Amino acid sequence: MTNPSIDFNDTTQCPLCGKPNECAVAAGRSPETCWCMTASIDPDTLASIPDEAQGKVCICAKCAGADQ
């Protein structure tokens, strides 16, 4: 079930939990500097991103399982 309080147009917000996603691209930095470039993310987690956010909004490291 999709959380209605999450704004799928906010590219700085994780579409799964609504917290900051720390996306380098959304912050105007080079994609190569993003945490996700060195993380292994489960394909099932990526598939769980709501359709409205697929390909538009990045998940956060915690939801990706990459949070230290």
Side-chain angles (χ1 to χ4, degrees), residues 9-14 18-23 26-27 57-58:
N9 294 308
D10 182 351
T11 59
T12 66
Q13 180 178 320
C14 176
K19 294 185 178 168
N21 59 19
E22 304 297 331
C23 176
V57 184
C58 295

Side-chain angles (χ1 to χ4, degrees), residues 38-66:
T38 58
S40 290
I41 303 171
D42 185 329
D44 290 335
T45 301
L46 294 175
S48 73
I49 298 171
D51 290 341
E52 305 93 324
Q54 283 281 346
K56 297 184 246 175
V57 184
C58 295
I59 61 175
C60 69
K62 184 173 183 178
C63 288

